[in-house]
Amino acid sequence: MNTLRIGHLPALDGLAEDQLAWQDLPGLTLPEGHQVLVPRLSAAQLQALCAHLRGPGRQALRALPVRETVQAIDATIQLLLDPGSPEHQTLLHWLPRVTGFSAEMVRVNLNATLRTYRAPQLQRFMAEDLGSAELLDGFAPRVTGGLTHAEGAALLTHVWAGNVPGLPLWSLVCGLLVKAGNLGKVSAGEPVLASVFARTLARLHPVLGQALAVVWWDRQDHALSQTAWSASEVVLAFGGDAALADLQRHMPPGVRFLPHGHKISFGAVGREALSASRAPRIARLAAEDVVRHEQQGCYSPQVVYVERGAQVSPQEFAHRLAAELAQLGTRFARPKPGLAEAAQIAQWRSRQEWAGEGVELIGQPTQDWSVAFHAQALALEPGPLHRCVQVVALEALEDLPPLLAARRRHLQTVGLAVAPERVQALSLQLAGCGVTRVCALGHMPLPAPGWHNDGRPNLLDLVNLVDIEASTEHLAEGLSRYEL
């Protein structure tokens, strides 16, 4: 039996691996001969774990200069990127089997994801949100007078979704940078990467390993859930809107709840990108955005809006996109949809086929992609994912706002392919519609380091800013030994 033990626990009495009860992780469908085990914690064990993370574990982390934490994370990432390391091989073996993604898709996405957490990227990350990492180590001068310090939560609890491998690293790294105690709850959909990262980090830097834990518990186990929520100062959660709303109802008063729910993203292609020489590359970029992560990410496009008036028409672009999806499918096999997902795809295809004049459905049911071309403007609406995408013709991309209005609360990323003189004006217009991230087409599933996820700061939401006002310094000066 090929067995992987999930999670990481700091060294505590009663929490050693041989002292824990282990169980199969529910909800996983694995190849024969593979097994994923998780520790089954009691409420008392979880309470002791939270107390340690809030207390000794976090205090030791607080004493470290943040540059040492950055160096330790960087060393961990370098090891996970090393093709010859056992950790890298573990990820390549288990991620395809757990997620259903093809091995080649996992390899390409894993390397791209890990590279965003190396030291230079983390330093830019802190500069983006805080201006200076000095705020995390102590008090730093303010331009307006006085001093400010950024104090992380005593316990930051992460509730991760499993739709995109690598998602847990973003919040876990943030929690370590702000020197919080970190409790991560993995999803059955993807429990591997956070576990391997945490165990590797703990081996390379034991002090950091004492300030974090990666566990799993059944969300219906209210005793364990309430134990975690009661101990937390901040809960950062990912998931569907209904699950997040239910989770928020169980938060004790005073807990800062930071939800990241369902979002929808789209591409926008200007006529200047649709010359005969440019259109093939733009279609390829759009196809890569669709295929990467199988549209499971909030930043994956489900619709591509295309302007009329170029050498290549929107309908021709739709056919080029279909051809690129077919070609990419030879390298990146699509995971086989489950019964419910297959039914959603079939229903979506049926709606496109019967949508009336001006709609062309490209691709056969036996193929692992579908493109629906719409000759008339169409409001943004989610599709069934799994490489199903709509291409919608527009007279001008500036006509987009009415088509986005109904999805304002759920908008996230737009992948743009327009001339430079249009970028800022069009981006400002889309920002007014609720879009929180604008990137180049072809980069939608590859957020830049330090991006503002759902329009929010990454580190500032996880800290309390503590000010020493200038008046404190002024009075202290008058009480010094050299003042009489």
Side-chain angles (χ1 to χ4, degrees), residues 201-221:
L201 179 68
R203 179 169 60 81
L204 296 180
H205 201 300
V207 171
L208 291 176
Q210 289 294 105
L212 67 97
V214 175
V215 298
W216 175 88
W217 69 84
D218 190 329
R219 66 180 181 180
Q220 302 302 323
D221 190 326

Side-chain angles (χ1 to χ4, degrees), residues 67 75 174 218 293 432:
R67 67 175 180 275
C174 287
D218 190 329
H293 299 315

Side-chain angles (χ1 to χ4, degrees), residues 55-89:
R58 173 175 174 260
Q59 291 307 320
L61 175 57
R62 286 184 78 234
L64 287 181
V66 72
R67 67 175 180 275
E68 188 170 335
T69 299
V70 169
Q71 291 166 356
I73 295 171
D74 183 80
T76 302
I77 293 298
Q78 298 291 0
L79 194 58
L80 298 186
L81 281 168
D82 180 2
S85 72
E87 292 82 4
H88 185 84
Q89 293 303 316

Side-chain angles (χ1 to χ4, degrees), residues 282-321:
I282 299 302
R284 177 72 174 201
L285 293 175
E288 289 173 351
D289 280 347
V290 170
V291 170
R292 192 182 288 268
H293 299 315
E294 304 296 344
Q295 293 179 296
Q296 298 298 310
C298 292
Y299 35 52
S300 299
Q302 300 188 48
V303 178
V304 181
Y305 290 99
V306 182
E307 278 187 334
R308 290 192 174 93
Q311 283 181 298
V312 175
S313 71
Q315 190 168 15
E316 290 171 320
F317 180 84
H319 280 270
R320 289 179 182 269
L321 175 59

Side-chain angles (χ1 to χ4, degrees), residues 11-236:
L12 286 177
D13 289 341
L15 290 182
E17 285 202 4
D18 59 356
Q19 296 175 302
L20 294 170
W22 293 81
Q23 68 176 66
D24 287 312
L25 180 59
L28 273 182
T29 302
L30 294 170
E32 186 176 352
H34 287 74
Q35 183 181 38
V36 170
L37 300 177
V38 290
R40 187 170 65 245
L41 300 181
S42 67
Q45 287 174 318
L46 183 57
Q47 187 174 35
L49 174 61
C50 291
H52 171 82
L53 295 174
R54 288 178 58 99
R58 173 175 174 260
Q59 291 307 320
L61 175 57
R62 286 184 78 234
L64 287 181
V66 72
R67 67 175 180 275
E68 188 170 335
T69 299
V70 169
Q71 291 166 356
I73 295 171
D74 183 80
T76 302
I77 293 298
Q78 298 291 0
L79 194 58
L80 298 186
L81 281 168
D82 180 2
S85 72
E87 292 82 4
H88 185 84
Q89 293 303 316
T90 296
L91 294 174
L92 290 187
H93 177 84
W94 282 98
L95 283 172
R97 288 162 175 79
V98 167
T99 64
F101 288 2
S102 71
E104 180 66 3
M105 176 72 74
V106 165
R107 186 189 65 80
V108 171
N109 287 340
L110 178 64
N111 291 343
T113 297
L114 292 175
R115 286 197 297 267
T116 65
Y117 297 103
R118 293 179 296 190
Q121 285 77 15
L122 296 183
Q123 289 158 357
R124 295 187 187 101
F125 202 9
M126 292 184 289
E128 178 74 27
D129 263 21
L130 301 173
S132 170
E134 291 181 17
L135 273 70
L136 296 166
D137 287 336
F139 285 91
R142 299 173 61 192
V143 175
T144 56
L147 304 162
T148 293
H149 165 61
E151 182 69 20
L155 183 62
L156 167 60
T157 296
H158 312 254
V159 181
W160 293 313
N163 54 329
V164 177
L167 175 67
L169 286 192
W170 170 75
S171 67
L172 190 53
V173 166
C174 287
L176 291 168
L177 292 178
V178 302
K179 305 186 180 185
N182 289 271
L183 175 67
K185 180 182 181 295
V186 296
S187 163
E190 202 292 89
V192 176
L193 186 51
S195 299
V196 174
F197 172 83
R199 290 189 174 203
T200 307
L201 179 68
R203 179 169 60 81
L204 296 180
H205 201 300
V207 171
L208 291 176
Q210 289 294 105
L212 67 97
V214 175
V215 298
W216 175 88
W217 69 84
D218 190 329
R219 66 180 181 180
Q220 302 302 323
D221 190 326
H222 298 297
L224 287 178
S225 295
Q226 287 307 123
T227 297
W229 313 149
S230 298
S232 303
E233 284 188 5
V234 179
V235 174
L236 180 60

Side-chain angles (χ1 to χ4, degrees), residues 239-306:
D241 289 352
L244 291 175
D246 180 66
L247 183 57
Q248 187 166 21
R249 285 193 290 270
H250 292 91
M251 287 295 118
V255 174
R256 187 183 306 166
F257 183 63
L258 303 174
H260 289 275
H262 168 73
K263 300 295 178 181
I264 184 170
S265 299
F266 61 95
V269 179
R271 59 180 64 89
E272 58 271 30
L274 295 172
S275 65
S277 61
R278 292 172 176 169
R281 176 172 176 264
I282 299 302
R284 177 72 174 201
L285 293 175
E288 289 173 351
D289 280 347
V290 170
V291 170
R292 192 182 288 268
H293 299 315
E294 304 296 344
Q295 293 179 296
Q296 298 298 310
C298 292
Y299 35 52
S300 299
Q302 300 188 48
V303 178
V304 181
Y305 290 99
V306 182

